[in-house]
Amino acid sequence: MDAALDFHGEGEAELSLGLLKDRGRLVSIADPAAAGLGGHYLWVRPDAADLTALAGLADAGKLSVTVERALPLAEAAEAWRLNQSGRTRGKIVLTVD
């Protein structure tokens, strides 16, 4: 592979190294160790102007978020289990009634 993107962490960046071509690129948003492996670790910091632009896109109906499941706060443990399964296709939302 030419590039590997790690969104999971838990050693995935290191595993990806064996799949990369010589001079392949490794980037992780989940594992700071990627930088020590010769890759890049990116951490996103909220920016007011960017968040305002995103809000405008959402208001215009041009941005949407897929919600896998909404659960009451009392079911936070179930939300955690769902998240850890790695099999969700959208966000897991906790609600407060």
Side-chain angles (χ1 to χ4, degrees):
M1 291 190 306
D2 294 319
L5 305 172
D6 171 30
F7 299 103
H8 185 262
E10 299 184 20
E12 296 297 323
E14 188 170 352
L15 290 172
S16 297
L17 287 177
L19 303 174
L20 290 172
K21 292 180 182 177
D22 186 35
R23 300 181 55 91
R25 296 180 183 231
L26 170 65
V27 177
S28 178
I29 65 166
D31 188 353
L37 299 169
H40 300 278
Y41 174 64
L42 301 176
W43 183 254
V44 179
R45 290 185 176 82
D47 175 271
D50 289 343
L51 292 173
T52 299
L54 286 173
L57 290 172
D59 289 343
K62 296 180 179 179
L63 175 70
S64 63
V65 176
T66 301
V67 176
E68 171 78 17
R69 210 149 149 209
L71 299 165
L73 186 57
E75 294 183 37
E78 175 62 13
W80 176 257
R81 281 189 288 278
L82 286 168
N83 182 52
Q84 292 301 299
S85 76
R87 298 182 190 276
T88 60
R89 295 201 58 156
K91 300 296 182 185
I92 300 168
V93 177
L94 291 174
T95 60
V96 180
D97 295 326

Coordinates of all heavy atoms in Angstrom, one line a residue:
M1 N 0.8 -1.2 0.0 CA 0.0 0.0 0.0 C 0.9 1.2 0.0 O 2.0 1.2 0.5 CB -0.9 0.0 1.3 CG -1.9 -1.1 1.3 SD -3.2 -0.9 2.6 CE -2.2 -0.8 4.0
D2 N 0.4 2.3 -0.6 CA 1.1 3.6 -0.6 C 0.9 4.3 0.7 O 1.7 5.1 1.1 CB 0.6 4.4 -1.8 CG 1.0 3.8 -3.1 OD1 2.1 3.3 -3.2 OD2 0.2 3.8 -4.0
A3 N -0.3 4.1 1.3 CA -0.6 4.9 2.5 C -1.5 4.1 3.4 O -2.3 3.3 3.0 CB -1.3 6.2 2.2
A4 N -1.4 4.3 4.7 CA -2.3 3.7 5.7 C -2.8 4.7 6.7 O -2.0 5.6 7.1 CB -1.5 2.6 6.5
L5 N -4.1 4.7 6.9 CA -4.7 5.7 7.8 C -5.3 4.9 9.0 O -6.1 4.0 8.8 CB -5.8 6.4 7.1 CG -5.4 7.1 5.8 CD1 -6.7 7.7 5.1 CD2 -4.5 8.2 6.1
D6 N -4.9 5.2 10.2 CA -5.3 4.5 11.4 C -6.3 5.4 12.1 O -6.0 6.5 12.6 CB -4.1 4.2 12.3 CG -4.5 3.7 13.7 OD1 -5.6 3.1 13.8 OD2 -3.8 4.0 14.6
F7 N -7.5 4.9 12.2 CA -8.6 5.6 12.9 C -9.0 4.8 14.2 O -9.9 5.2 14.8 CB -9.8 5.8 12.0 CG -9.6 6.6 10.8 CD1 -9.4 6.0 9.6 CD2 -9.5 8.0 10.9 CE1 -9.2 6.8 8.4 CE2 -9.2 8.8 9.8 CZ -9.1 8.2 8.6
H8 N -8.3 3.7 14.4 CA -8.7 2.8 15.5 C -7.8 2.8 16.7 O -8.2 2.8 17.8 CB -8.8 1.4 14.9 CG -9.3 0.4 15.9 ND1 -8.4 -0.4 16.6 CD2 -10.5 0.1 16.3 CE1 -9.2 -1.2 17.4 NE2 -10.4 -0.9 17.2
G9 N -6.5 2.9 16.5 CA -5.5 2.8 17.6 C -5.2 1.4 18.0 O -5.4 0.5 17.2
E10 N -4.9 1.2 19.2 CA -4.6 -0.1 19.8 C -3.7 -1.0 18.9 O -3.9 -2.1 18.6 CB -6.0 -0.8 20.0 CG -6.9 -0.1 20.9 CD -8.1 -0.9 21.2 OE1 -8.2 -2.1 21.0 OE2 -9.1 -0.2 21.7
G11 N -2.6 -0.4 18.4 CA -1.5 -1.1 17.7 C -1.8 -1.2 16.2 O -0.9 -1.8 15.5
E12 N -2.8 -0.6 15.7 CA -3.1 -0.7 14.3 C -2.0 0.0 13.4 O -1.7 -0.5 12.4 CB -4.5 -0.2 13.9 CG -5.6 -1.0 14.5 CD -5.7 -2.4 14.0 OE1 -5.4 -2.7 12.8 OE2 -6.0 -3.3 14.8
A13 N -1.5 1.1 14.0 CA -0.5 1.8 13.2 C 0.7 0.9 13.0 O 1.3 0.9 11.9 CB -0.1 3.1 14.0
E14 N 1.2 0.3 14.1 CA 2.3 -0.6 13.9 C 2.1 -1.8 13.0 O 2.9 -2.1 12.2 CB 2.7 -1.1 15.3 CG 4.0 -1.9 15.3 CD 4.5 -2.2 16.7 OE1 4.0 -1.8 17.7 OE2 5.5 -3.0 16.7
L15 N 0.9 -2.4 13.0 CA 0.5 -3.4 12.1 C 0.6 -2.9 10.7 O 0.9 -3.7 9.7 CB -0.8 -4.0 12.4 CG -0.9 -4.8 13.7 CD1 -2.4 -5.1 14.0 CD2 -0.1 -6.1 13.6
S16 N 0.2 -1.7 10.5 CA 0.1 -1.1 9.1 C 1.5 -1.0 8.5 O 1.6 -1.0 7.2 CB -0.6 0.2 9.1 OG -1.9 0.1 9.6
L17 N 2.5 -0.9 9.3 CA 3.8 -0.7 8.7 C 4.2 -1.9 7.8 O 4.9 -1.7 6.8 CB 4.9 -0.6 9.8 CG 4.9 0.7 10.6 CD1 5.9 0.6 11.7 CD2 5.2 1.9 9.7
G18 N 3.9 -3.1 8.1 CA 4.2 -4.2 7.3 C 3.5 -4.3 6.0 O 3.8 -5.1 5.1
L19 N 2.4 -3.5 5.8 CA 1.7 -3.4 4.6 C 2.1 -2.3 3.6 O 1.7 -2.3 2.5 CB 0.2 -3.2 4.9 CG -0.4 -4.3 5.9 CD1 -1.9 -3.9 6.2 CD2 -0.4 -5.6 5.2
L20 N 2.9 -1.4 4.1 CA 3.3 -0.2 3.4 C 4.5 -0.5 2.4 O 5.4 -1.3 2.8 CB 3.7 0.9 4.3 CG 2.6 1.6 5.0 CD1 3.1 2.6 6.0 CD2 1.6 2.2 4.1
K21 N 4.4 0.0 1.2 CA 5.6 0.0 0.3 C 6.7 0.8 1.0 O 6.5 1.6 1.9 CB 5.2 0.6 -1.0 CG 4.2 -0.1 -1.8 CD 4.0 0.7 -3.1 CE 3.0 0.0 -4.0 NZ 2.7 0.8 -5.2
D22 N 7.9 0.7 0.4 CA 9.0 1.5 0.8 C 8.6 3.0 0.6 O 8.1 3.3 -0.5 CB 10.3 1.1 0.0 CG 11.5 1.9 0.5 OD1 11.6 2.1 1.7 OD2 12.3 2.2 -0.3
R23 N 8.8 3.8 1.5 CA 8.4 5.2 1.5 C 6.9 5.4 1.6 O 6.4 6.5 1.2 CB 9.0 5.9 0.3 CG 10.6 5.9 0.3 CD 11.2 6.6 -0.9 NE 10.7 8.0 -1.1 CZ 11.3 9.0 -0.5 NH1 12.4 8.9 0.2 NH2 10.9 10.2 -0.7
G24 N 6.2 4.4 2.0 CA 4.7 4.6 2.2 C 4.5 5.5 3.3 O 5.3 5.7 4.2
R25 N 3.3 6.0 3.4 CA 2.9 7.0 4.4 C 2.0 6.4 5.5 O 1.0 5.7 5.1 CB 2.3 8.2 3.8 CG 3.3 9.0 2.9 CD 2.6 10.2 2.3 NE 3.6 10.8 1.5 CZ 3.9 12.1 1.5 NH1 3.3 12.9 2.4 NH2 4.7 12.6 0.7
L26 N 2.2 6.7 6.7 CA 1.4 6.2 7.8 C 0.9 7.5 8.6 O 1.6 8.3 8.9 CB 2.2 5.4 8.8 CG 1.6 5.0 10.1 CD1 0.3 4.1 9.9 CD2 2.6 4.3 11.0
V27 N -0.4 7.5 8.8 CA -1.1 8.6 9.5 C -2.1 8.0 10.5 O -2.8 7.1 10.2 CB -1.8 9.6 8.6 CG1 -2.5 10.7 9.4 CG2 -0.8 10.2 7.5
S28 N -2.1 8.5 11.7 CA -3.0 8.1 12.7 C -3.6 9.3 13.4 O -3.0 10.2 13.7 CB -2.3 7.2 13.8 OG -3.2 6.8 14.7
I29 N -4.9 9.1 13.7 CA -5.6 10.1 14.5 C -5.9 9.5 15.9 O -6.5 10.1 16.8 CB -6.9 10.6 13.9 CG1 -8.0 9.5 13.8 CG2 -6.7 11.3 12.6 CD1 -9.4 10.0 13.5
A30 N -5.5 8.2 16.1 CA -5.9 7.5 17.3 C -4.7 7.0 18.1 O -4.8 6.6 19.2 CB -6.7 6.3 16.9
D31 N -3.5 7.0 17.5 CA -2.3 6.5 18.2 C -1.1 7.4 18.1 O -0.5 7.4 17.0 CB -2.0 5.1 17.6 CG -0.9 4.3 18.4 OD1 -0.3 4.9 19.3 OD2 -0.7 3.2 18.0
P32 N -0.7 8.1 19.2 CA 0.4 9.0 19.1 C 1.7 8.2 18.8 O 2.7 8.8 18.3 CB 0.5 9.6 20.5 CG -0.8 9.3 21.2 CD -1.4 8.1 20.5
A33 N 1.8 6.9 19.0 CA 3.0 6.1 18.7 C 3.3 6.2 17.2 O 4.4 5.9 16.8 CB 2.8 4.7 19.2
A34 N 2.4 6.5 16.3 CA 2.6 6.6 14.9 C 3.8 7.5 14.6 O 4.6 7.2 13.7 CB 1.4 7.0 14.1
A35 N 3.9 8.6 15.3 CA 5.0 9.5 15.0 C 6.4 8.8 15.3 O 7.3 9.0 14.5 CB 4.9 10.8 15.9
G36 N 6.4 8.0 16.3 CA 7.7 7.3 16.6 C 8.0 6.2 15.7 O 9.1 5.6 15.6
L37 N 7.0 5.8 14.9 CA 7.2 4.7 13.9 C 7.5 5.3 12.5 O 7.5 4.6 11.5 CB 5.9 3.9 13.8 CG 5.4 3.2 15.0 CD1 4.0 2.6 14.8 CD2 6.4 2.1 15.4
G38 N 7.8 6.6 12.4 CA 8.1 7.3 11.2 C 6.9 7.8 10.5 O 7.0 8.3 9.3
G39 N 5.7 7.7 11.1 CA 4.5 8.2 10.5 C 4.1 9.6 11.1 O 5.0 10.3 11.6
H40 N 2.9 9.9 11.0 CA 2.4 11.2 11.5 C 1.2 11.0 12.4 O 0.3 10.1 12.1 CB 1.9 12.1 10.3 CG 3.0 12.4 9.3 ND1 3.9 13.4 9.6 CD2 3.3 11.8 8.2 CE1 4.8 13.4 8.5 NE2 4.4 12.5 7.7
Y41 N 1.1 11.7 13.5 CA 0.0 11.7 14.4 C -0.7 13.0 14.3 O 0.0 14.1 14.4 CB 0.5 11.4 15.8 CG -0.6 11.5 16.8 CD1 -1.7 10.6 16.8 CD2 -0.6 12.5 17.8 CE1 -2.7 10.7 17.8 CE2 -1.6 12.5 18.8 CZ -2.6 11.7 18.8 OH -3.6 11.8 19.7
L42 N -2.0 13.0 14.0 CA -2.7 14.3 13.8 C -3.8 14.4 14.9 O -4.5 13.4 15.2 CB -3.4 14.3 12.5 CG -2.6 14.2 11.3 CD1 -3.4 14.2 10.0 CD2 -1.6 15.4 11.2
W43 N -3.8 15.5 15.6 CA -4.8 15.8 16.6 C -5.6 17.0 16.1 O -5.0 18.0 15.9 CB -4.2 16.0 18.0 CG -5.2 16.1 19.0 CD1 -5.6 17.3 19.6 CD2 -6.1 15.1 19.6 NE1 -6.5 17.1 20.6 CE2 -6.9 15.8 20.6 CE3 -6.2 13.8 19.4 CZ2 -7.8 15.1 21.3 CZ3 -7.2 13.1 20.1 CH2 -7.9 13.8 21.1
V44 N -6.9 16.9 16.0 CA -7.7 18.0 15.5 C -8.1 18.9 16.7 O -8.5 18.5 17.8 CB -9.0 17.5 14.8 CG1 -9.8 18.6 14.3 CG2 -8.6 16.6 13.7
R45 N -7.9 20.2 16.5 CA -8.3 21.2 17.5 C -9.5 22.0 16.9 O -9.4 22.5 15.8 CB -7.1 22.1 17.8 CG -6.1 21.4 18.6 CD -5.0 22.4 19.0 NE -4.0 21.7 19.9 CZ -3.0 21.0 19.4 NH1 -2.8 20.8 18.1 NH2 -2.2 20.4 20.2
P46 N -10.6 22.2 17.6 CA -11.7 22.9 17.1 C -11.3 24.4 16.8 O -10.5 25.0 17.5 CB -12.7 22.9 18.2 CG -12.3 21.8 19.2 CD -10.8 21.6 19.0
D47 N -11.8 24.9 15.7 CA -11.6 26.2 15.3 C -12.9 26.9 15.1 O -13.8 26.3 14.4 CB -10.8 26.2 14.0 CG -10.6 27.6 13.4 OD1 -11.5 28.0 12.6 OD2 -9.6 28.2 13.7
A48 N -13.2 28.1 15.7 CA -14.5 28.7 15.7 C -14.9 29.0 14.2 O -16.1 28.7 13.9 CB -14.4 30.0 16.4
A49 N -14.1 29.4 13.3 CA -14.5 29.7 12.0 C -14.9 28.4 11.2 O -15.9 28.4 10.5 CB -13.4 30.4 11.2
D50 N -14.1 27.3 11.5 CA -14.4 26.1 10.8 C -15.7 25.5 11.3 O -16.5 25.0 10.6 CB -13.3 25.0 11.0 CG -12.0 25.4 10.3 OD1 -12.1 26.2 9.3 OD2 -11.0 24.8 10.6
L51 N -15.9 25.6 12.7 CA -17.2 25.1 13.2 C -18.4 25.9 12.7 O -19.5 25.3 12.5 CB -17.1 25.1 14.8 CG -16.1 24.1 15.4 CD1 -16.0 24.4 16.9 CD2 -16.5 22.7 15.1
T52 N -18.2 27.2 12.5 CA -19.3 28.0 12.0 C -19.6 27.6 10.6 O -20.8 27.5 10.2 CB -18.9 29.5 12.1 OG1 -18.7 29.9 13.4 CG2 -20.0 30.4 11.5
A53 N -18.6 27.3 9.8 CA -18.8 26.9 8.4 C -19.5 25.5 8.4 O -20.4 25.3 7.6 CB -17.4 26.8 7.7
L54 N -19.1 24.6 9.3 CA -19.8 23.3 9.4 C -21.3 23.5 9.8 O -22.2 22.8 9.2 CB -19.1 22.4 10.4 CG -17.8 21.8 9.9 CD1 -17.1 21.1 11.1 CD2 -18.0 20.9 8.7
A55 N -21.5 24.4 10.7 CA -22.9 24.7 11.1 C -23.7 25.2 10.0 O -24.9 24.8 9.8 CB -22.9 25.7 12.3
G56 N -23.1 26.1 9.1 CA -23.8 26.6 8.0 C -24.1 25.5 7.0 O -25.2 25.5 6.4
L57 N -23.2 24.6 6.8 CA -23.5 23.4 5.9 C -24.6 22.5 6.4 O -25.5 22.1 5.7 CB -22.2 22.6 5.7 CG -21.1 23.2 4.9 CD1 -19.8 22.3 5.0 CD2 -21.5 23.4 3.4
A58 N -24.6 22.3 7.7 CA -25.7 21.5 8.3 C -27.0 22.2 8.2 O -28.0 21.6 7.8 CB -25.4 21.3 9.8
D59 N -27.0 23.5 8.4 CA -28.3 24.3 8.3 C -28.8 24.3 6.9 O -30.0 24.3 6.7 CB -28.1 25.7 8.8 CG -27.9 25.9 10.3 OD1 -28.2 24.9 11.0 OD2 -27.4 26.9 10.7
A60 N -27.9 24.2 5.9 CA -28.3 24.2 4.5 C -28.7 22.8 4.0 O -29.0 22.6 2.9 CB -27.2 24.8 3.6
G61 N -28.5 21.8 4.9 CA -28.9 20.5 4.5 C -27.8 19.8 3.7 O -28.0 18.8 3.1
K62 N -26.6 20.3 3.7 CA -25.5 19.8 2.9 C -24.5 18.9 3.7 O -23.6 18.4 3.2 CB -24.7 20.9 2.3 CG -25.5 21.7 1.2 CD -24.7 22.8 0.6 CE -25.5 23.5 -0.4 NZ -24.8 24.6 -1.0
L63 N -24.8 18.8 5.0 CA -24.0 18.0 5.9 C -24.9 17.2 6.8 O -25.9 17.7 7.3 CB -23.1 18.9 6.8 CG -22.3 18.3 7.9 CD1 -21.2 17.5 7.2 CD2 -21.7 19.3 8.8
S64 N -24.7 15.9 6.9 CA -25.5 15.1 7.7 C -24.6 14.2 8.5 O -23.5 13.9 8.2 CB -26.5 14.3 6.9 OG -25.8 13.4 6.1
V65 N -25.1 13.7 9.6 CA -24.4 12.7 10.5 C -25.3 11.5 10.6 O -26.5 11.5 10.9 CB -24.2 13.3 11.9 CG1 -23.6 12.3 12.8 CG2 -23.4 14.6 11.8
T66 N -24.7 10.3 10.3 CA -25.4 9.1 10.4 C -25.4 8.6 11.9 O -24.3 8.5 12.5 CB -24.7 8.0 9.5 OG1 -24.7 8.5 8.2 CG2 -25.4 6.7 9.6
V67 N -26.6 8.4 12.4 CA -26.7 7.9 13.8 C -27.1 6.4 13.7 O -28.1 6.1 13.2 CB -27.8 8.7 14.5 CG1 -28.0 8.2 15.9 CG2 -27.4 10.2 14.6
E68 N -26.2 5.6 14.2 CA -26.4 4.2 14.3 C -27.5 3.9 15.3 O -28.4 3.1 15.0 CB -25.1 3.5 14.7 CG -25.3 2.0 15.0 CD -25.3 1.1 13.8 OE1 -25.0 1.6 12.7 OE2 -25.8 0.0 13.9
R69 N -27.4 4.5 16.4 CA -28.4 4.2 17.5 C -28.4 5.4 18.5 O -27.4 5.9 18.8 CB -28.0 2.9 18.2 CG -29.1 2.2 18.7 CD -28.9 0.7 18.7 NE -29.7 0.2 19.8 CZ -29.4 -0.9 20.5 NH1 -28.4 -1.6 20.2 NH2 -30.1 -1.2 21.5
A70 N -29.6 5.6 19.1 CA -29.7 6.6 20.2 C -30.2 5.8 21.4 O -31.2 5.1 21.3 CB -30.7 7.7 19.8
L71 N -29.5 6.0 22.5 CA -29.9 5.3 23.7 C -30.0 6.2 24.9 O -29.3 7.2 24.9 CB -28.8 4.2 24.0 CG -28.5 3.1 23.0 CD1 -27.2 2.5 23.3 CD2 -29.6 2.1 23.0
P72 N -30.9 5.9 25.8 CA -30.9 6.8 27.0 C -29.6 6.7 27.8 O -28.9 5.6 27.8 CB -32.1 6.2 27.8 CG -32.4 4.9 27.2 CD -31.8 4.8 25.9
L73 N -29.3 7.7 28.5 CA -28.1 7.7 29.3 C -28.0 6.5 30.3 O -26.9 6.0 30.5 CB -28.0 9.0 30.2 CG -26.7 9.3 30.9 CD1 -25.5 9.3 30.0 CD2 -26.8 10.6 31.7
A74 N -29.1 6.0 30.7 CA -29.1 4.8 31.6 C -28.5 3.6 30.9 O -28.1 2.7 31.6 CB -30.5 4.6 32.1
E75 N -28.5 3.6 29.6 CA -27.9 2.5 28.8 C -26.5 2.8 28.3 O -26.1 2.3 27.2 CB -28.9 2.1 27.7 CG -30.2 1.6 28.2 CD -31.1 1.1 27.1 OE1 -30.6 0.6 26.1 OE2 -32.3 1.3 27.2
A76 N -25.8 3.6 29.0 CA -24.4 4.0 28.6 C -23.5 2.8 28.4 O -22.7 2.7 27.5 CB -23.8 5.0 29.5
A77 N -23.7 1.8 29.3 CA -22.9 0.6 29.2 C -23.1 -0.1 27.9 O -22.2 -0.6 27.2 CB -23.2 -0.4 30.4
E78 N -24.4 -0.2 27.4 CA -24.7 -0.8 26.1 C -24.0 0.0 25.0 O -23.5 -0.6 24.0 CB -26.2 -0.9 25.9 CG -26.6 -1.4 24.6 CD -26.1 -2.8 24.2 OE1 -25.6 -3.6 25.1 OE2 -26.2 -3.2 23.1
A79 N -24.1 1.3 25.1 CA -23.5 2.2 24.1 C -22.0 1.9 24.0 O -21.4 1.8 22.9 CB -23.7 3.7 24.4
W80 N -21.3 1.7 25.2 CA -19.9 1.4 25.2 C -19.6 0.1 24.5 O -18.7 -0.1 23.7 CB -19.4 1.4 26.6 CG -18.0 0.9 26.8 CD1 -17.5 -0.3 27.2 CD2 -16.9 1.7 26.5 NE1 -16.2 -0.3 27.1 CE2 -15.7 0.9 26.7 CE3 -16.7 3.0 26.1 CZ2 -14.4 1.4 26.5 CZ3 -15.4 3.5 25.9 CH2 -14.3 2.7 26.1
R81 N -20.5 -0.9 24.8 CA -20.3 -2.3 24.1 C -20.4 -2.1 22.6 O -19.7 -2.7 21.9 CB -21.3 -3.3 24.7 CG -20.9 -3.8 26.1 CD -21.8 -5.0 26.5 NE -23.1 -4.6 26.9 CZ -23.4 -4.1 28.1 NH1 -22.5 -4.0 29.0 NH2 -24.6 -3.7 28.3
L82 N -21.4 -1.4 22.2 CA -21.6 -1.2 20.7 C -20.4 -0.5 20.1 O -19.9 -1.0 19.0 CB -22.8 -0.3 20.5 CG -24.2 -1.0 20.7 CD1 -25.3 0.1 20.6 CD2 -24.4 -2.0 19.6
N83 N -19.9 0.5 20.8 CA -18.7 1.2 20.3 C -17.5 0.3 20.2 O -16.8 0.3 19.2 CB -18.4 2.4 21.2 CG -17.3 3.2 20.7 OD1 -17.2 3.6 19.5 ND2 -16.3 3.4 21.5
Q84 N -17.3 -0.5 21.2 CA -16.2 -1.4 21.2 C -16.2 -2.5 20.2 O -15.2 -3.1 19.9 CB -16.0 -2.0 22.7 CG -15.5 -0.9 23.7 CD -14.2 -0.2 23.3 OE1 -13.2 -0.9 23.1 NE2 -14.3 1.1 23.0
S85 N -17.4 -2.8 19.8 CA -17.6 -3.9 18.8 C -17.0 -3.6 17.5 O -16.6 -4.5 16.7 CB -19.1 -4.3 18.6 OG -19.7 -3.3 17.8
G86 N -16.8 -2.3 17.2 CA -16.2 -1.9 15.9 C -17.1 -2.2 14.7 O -16.7 -2.2 13.6
R87 N -18.4 -2.4 15.0 CA -19.3 -2.8 13.9 C -20.4 -1.8 13.6 O -21.3 -2.1 12.9 CB -19.9 -4.2 14.2 CG -18.9 -5.3 14.3 CD -19.6 -6.6 14.6 NE -18.6 -7.6 14.9 CZ -17.9 -8.3 14.1 NH1 -18.1 -8.1 12.8 NH2 -17.1 -9.2 14.5
T88 N -20.3 -0.6 14.1 CA -21.3 0.4 13.9 C -20.9 1.2 12.7 O -19.8 1.3 12.3 CB -21.4 1.4 15.1 OG1 -20.1 2.0 15.3 CG2 -21.8 0.6 16.4
R89 N -21.9 1.8 12.0 CA -21.7 2.5 10.8 C -22.0 4.0 11.0 O -22.1 4.8 10.0 CB -22.6 2.0 9.7 CG -22.2 0.5 9.4 CD -22.6 0.2 8.0 NE -22.1 1.1 7.1 CZ -21.9 0.9 5.8 NH1 -22.2 -0.3 5.3 NH2 -21.4 1.8 5.0
G90 N -22.3 4.4 12.2 CA -22.6 5.8 12.5 C -22.4 6.1 13.9 O -21.8 5.3 14.6
K91 N -22.8 7.2 14.3 CA -22.6 7.7 15.7 C -23.5 7.0 16.7 O -24.6 6.6 16.3 CB -22.8 9.2 15.8 CG -21.8 10.0 14.9 CD -20.4 9.8 15.4 CE -19.5 10.6 14.5 NZ -18.1 10.4 14.8
I92 N -23.1 6.8 17.9 CA -23.9 6.3 19.0 C -24.2 7.5 19.8 O -23.3 8.2 20.3 CB -23.2 5.2 19.7 CG1 -22.9 4.0 18.8 CG2 -24.1 4.7 20.9 CD1 -21.9 3.0 19.4
V93 N -25.5 7.8 20.0 CA -25.9 9.0 20.7 C -26.5 8.6 22.1 O -27.4 7.7 22.1 CB -26.9 9.8 19.9 CG1 -27.4 11.0 20.7 CG2 -26.3 10.2 18.6
L94 N -26.1 9.3 23.1 CA -26.7 9.1 24.5 C -27.7 10.3 24.7 O -27.3 11.4 24.5 CB -25.7 9.1 25.6 CG -24.8 7.8 25.6 CD1 -23.7 8.0 26.7 CD2 -25.6 6.6 25.8
T95 N -28.9 10.0 25.1 CA -29.9 11.0 25.3 C -30.2 11.2 26.8 O -30.1 10.2 27.5 CB -31.1 10.8 24.5 OG1 -31.7 9.5 24.9 CG2 -30.9 10.7 23.0
V96 N -30.6 12.4 27.1 CA -31.1 12.6 28.5 C -32.5 13.0 28.4 O -32.8 14.0 27.7 CB -30.2 13.7 29.2 CG1 -30.7 14.0 30.6 CG2 -28.8 13.3 29.2
D97 N -33.4 12.3 29.0 CA -34.8 12.6 29.0 C -35.2 13.7 30.0 O -34.7 13.8 31.1 CB -35.7 11.4 29.1 CG -35.5 10.4 28.0 OD1 -35.3 10.9 26.9 OD2 -35.5 9.2 28.2

